[in-house]
Amino acid sequence: MADSSKNELRELHYSGHVQGVFFRATARNIASGLAVTGYVANLPDGRVKLVAEGTPAELDLLERSISQEKGQNIQDVTRDTRPATGQFDGFEIRY
């Protein structure tokens, strides 16, 4: 990945009809084409959590692409942004 000092970590929580609709697989497929690392996981309360690190531009593209592909299923998104940690090697679905 590019200069990690310019990277950030974004933690997003998607709510709506986001489980059982290939949301995680779609997010992973989109992420695989971008310079981002992290994971996506279902939460017990019905939301989906996505944690990703990368440049702001790559993370913006990830968010936009997920919205374009799965926007009809998304009711709300909450976002927390912090400095990147470099803790991820790739992007995966967590179970």
Side-chain angles (χ1 to χ4, degrees), residues 12-94:
L12 298 103
H13 290 91
Y14 292 93
S15 62
H17 184 64
V18 292
Q19 291 190 12
V21 293
F22 299 100
F23 192 98
R24 292 175 301 161
T26 300
R28 182 191 58 204
N29 290 342
I30 292 168
S32 70
L34 300 172
V36 298
T37 59
Y39 68 91
V40 61
N42 283 345
L43 296 175
D45 65 6
R47 296 178 300 157
V48 170
K49 176 181 180 178
L50 184 143
V51 177
E53 289 190 346
T55 65
E58 288 289 290
L59 294 171
D60 288 346
L61 184 55
L62 175 66
E63 287 190 55
R64 275 196 312 275
S65 298
I66 290 171
S67 181
Q68 288 171 348
E69 290 291 322
K70 290 297 184 181
Q72 72 276 11
N73 301 100
I74 300 168
Q75 182 178 38
D76 189 42
V77 182
T78 60
R79 178 182 303 100
D80 181 38
T81 302
R82 340 184 253 284
T85 63
Q87 64 185 311
F88 307 110
D89 292 325
F91 194 94
E92 65 185 16
I93 295 174
R94 290 194 179 169

